[in-house]
Amino acid sequence: MKVGVISDTHIPAIAPSLPSAVFEIFKGVDLILHAGDIVELSVLDELSAIAPVEAVAGNMDGSEVHLKLPSKKIIPLGGYSAGLIHGKYKIDIQREMIMKEFSKVDLIVYGHSHMPFWGKFDNVYFLNPGSPTDKRYAPYNSVALLHVGDELTAEIIRL
């Protein structure tokens, strides 16, 4: 299973639309995970033209998004369990605090910091795809591809 992972799109607050590269990179994925700060729900409609979308609301999302989406959810991915959350904590303690939001997951997909990250802490994988539109604390814009098979692997893709 191939999963497109995106967060912090901030459409149209930061950019008028998703970069065209996102559609190319996500072409052929089985699922898309959006870790919040969507701002305009139309972004989810655009992404759902590629593949089914699972999403959560972020701290910059308005009431319309919060009424439609939860702040966190657990998604089965093959034989794995993934927690999807935006995050709201200071960058230096973010992963530690997000871990407390879920019990017994194999992977946590999160956003908020705009800093891409793939790694493992306390036997849980963490994936932050960065932002395709706003570098903020990151050196580049990015999304991620998650590969779900016998193992979980991910790649951060610079835009």
Side-chain angles (χ1 to χ4, degrees):
M1 171 185 244
K2 188 163 118 178
V3 181
V5 184
I6 192 167
S7 186
D8 297 283
T9 48
H10 296 278
I11 304 295
I14 298 295
S17 61
L18 288 170
S20 59
V22 170
F23 298 94
E24 284 299 313
I25 293 164
F26 286 178
K27 189 175 182 180
V29 300
D30 302 298
L31 177 68
I32 297 171
L33 302 178
H34 195 306
D37 278 4
I38 300 156
V39 182
E40 284 286 328
L41 286 170
S42 61
V43 170
L44 301 182
D45 295 335
E46 288 183 66
L47 292 171
S48 67
I50 303 167
V53 177
E54 293 282 351
V56 293
N59 64 299
M60 299 300 290
D61 289 320
S63 59
E64 181 184 15
V65 175
H66 280 275
L67 287 171
K68 183 170 179 159
L69 301 173
S71 61
K72 66 180 178 179
K73 63 169 64 173
I74 295 178
I75 300 157
L77 295 175
Y80 298 98
S81 174
L84 180 61
I85 192 168
H86 181 66
K88 58 186 176 195
Y89 307 103
K90 293 169 74 173
I91 293 170
D92 57 338
I93 61 166
Q94 187 176 29
R95 285 188 290 272
E96 178 185 331
M97 297 304 288
I98 287 172
M99 189 146 203
K100 294 177 183 180
E101 298 278 346
F102 299 99
S103 61
K104 299 181 183 176
V105 294
D106 302 296
L107 164 70
I108 297 174
V109 174
Y110 67 105
H112 188 59
S113 69
H114 299 212
M115 294 174 55
F117 178 82
W118 169 247
K120 198 170 191 181
F121 291 99
D122 293 332
N123 293 318
V124 176
Y125 286 102
F126 282 81
L127 176 57
N128 184 328
S131 170
T133 57
D134 185 8
K135 293 188 270 188
R136 194 175 299 185
Y137 303 111
Y140 49 84
N141 291 331
S142 59
V143 295
L145 288 175
L146 174 67
H147 304 277
V148 181
D150 291 338
E151 296 181 21
L152 292 173
T153 59
E155 55 186 311
I156 306 292
I157 301 171
R158 294 180 186 208
L159 301 184

